[in-house]
Amino acid sequence: MTLSMKYSFKNDYSEMAHPEILTVLSDVGNEQFEGYGLDEHSITAAMLIRKALKAPYADIHFIAGGTHANLVMISSALRPHEAVIAPKSGHIFVHETGAIEATGHKICVRDGLNGKLTVGDIESVVSEHGDDEHMVKPKLVYISLSTETGTVYTKAELAAISFYCRNNGLYLYIDGARLGAAINSPACDLKYSDLPNLADAFFIGGTKNGALFGEAIVICNEQLKVDFRYLLKQRGGLLAKTAAIGVQFKTLFAGGLYDELAKHSIAMAKKLADGIRALGYEFLCPVETNLILPVFPNEIVDRLREHYGFYDWQRFEDKTAVRLLTSWATPEDKVDCFLADLKE
């Protein structure tokens, strides 16, 4: 038998941080800096991000986590009677403890396909609500790149959504917690520089791609920039020690480390998926990034759970789709062990 010590494929943030991140945080540990994002590290990081996006006009704000980024960005974009359109699997709808609803905004959901919204989904919500002042008014479209099922939008798909939003008075906001994995996916023809032209705002995830913590909110729409730092402070997101996030993003974007780490996570997921497929198992959704959803018989799921950490995604009568995530730090030998144990 090849059964290994228990190893977690639950998420892509179980490891603390990439060694370069830990080193640079240690190096600046005794350094004095300005607070609230006005330090030289955060300013330099913002400049590097603008360069990668080819968007010198974009406002960059560093914040601790993805849920906080979504809460602040969405609540600041909407008036009290306005609502969000999101896929049913969307993080803001399923896994953020009602954070958006707690700010007074309804989330209107559609099933979508493989975690993605279509123009038809968005249009159906808009049509359903119409100009009826007795209902909430849809104003912002929320999507994830990559999605909660590990899929990506193509440039054509995102452009179609963007075109519809701009012609119907809707903001388009992208949750980029796994943006690195999305942009570096072979299934994705988008570039970082496409996003400022297609979205009103989005965030670049660091927590799930090698950072100790932190995300970078990018605001492209001039209307959404107004007084954002006031709103960020009011929602508890304007950190005195923003420099701790800024120095991490400076490290991630200065020499290509951000993409390097994302490519590793994708490579490990591809090897894992290829091995699973070779053993005759199917997947709930297309395999496109570092999140995969293989479907196993329940008895195999129970056996695997004795030695690996993962989440059940969807249960069927005698089978279960499980969520497996590889990270920037996943060792190849752990993938080999999982496949060997699966074969047993």
Side-chain angles (χ1 to χ4, degrees), residues 35-38 61 225 227-234 238:
Y36 306 106
L38 303 177
H61 303 272
K225 294 178 182 180
D227 289 343
F228 187 77
R229 277 175 66 87
Y230 287 88
L231 298 162
L232 189 61
K233 174 66 175 182
Q234 189 180 69
L238 191 60

Side-chain angles (χ1 to χ4, degrees), residues 44 50 91 112 126 152 185 189 206 208 258 271 275 294 304 314:
T44 300
R50 290 189 190 99
H91 206 267
V126 173
V152 297
S185 165
D189 58 350
K208 295 176 180 177
Y258 190 77
K271 179 169 185 176
L304 288 171
Q314 185 174 340

Side-chain angles (χ1 to χ4, degrees), residues 245-292:
I245 305 174
V247 74
Q248 294 182 71
F249 272 89
K250 184 175 74 171
T251 305
L252 289 168
F253 277 84
L257 181 61
Y258 190 77
D259 289 326
E260 178 187 326
L261 299 183
K263 287 175 182 177
H264 176 80
S265 67
I266 291 171
M268 292 301 96
K270 183 181 185 304
K271 179 169 185 176
L272 188 60
D274 287 348
I276 291 170
R277 192 177 289 109
L279 292 172
Y281 299 105
E282 297 181 346
F283 293 82
L284 189 65
C285 295
V287 174
E288 296 179 347
T289 57
N290 65 320
L291 187 160
I292 65 175

Side-chain angles (χ1 to χ4, degrees), residues 143-207:
I143 63 173
S144 299
L145 191 64
S146 58
T147 71
E148 295 303 309
T149 62
T151 56
V152 297
Y153 289 85
T154 65
K155 186 174 181 178
E157 289 171 334
L158 192 58
I161 291 173
S162 177
F163 183 81
Y164 180 86
C165 288
R166 290 179 179 177
N167 280 277
N168 289 274
L170 301 172
Y171 295 127
L172 176 58
Y173 170 65
I174 301 173
D175 180 327
R178 295 189 175 96
L179 187 61
I183 295 296
N184 286 281
S185 165
C188 185
D189 58 350
L190 285 162
K191 299 177 181 177
Y192 291 116
S193 57
D194 291 320
L195 301 181
N197 298 320
L198 297 174
D200 295 287
F202 56 95
F203 79 83
I204 302 171
T207 301

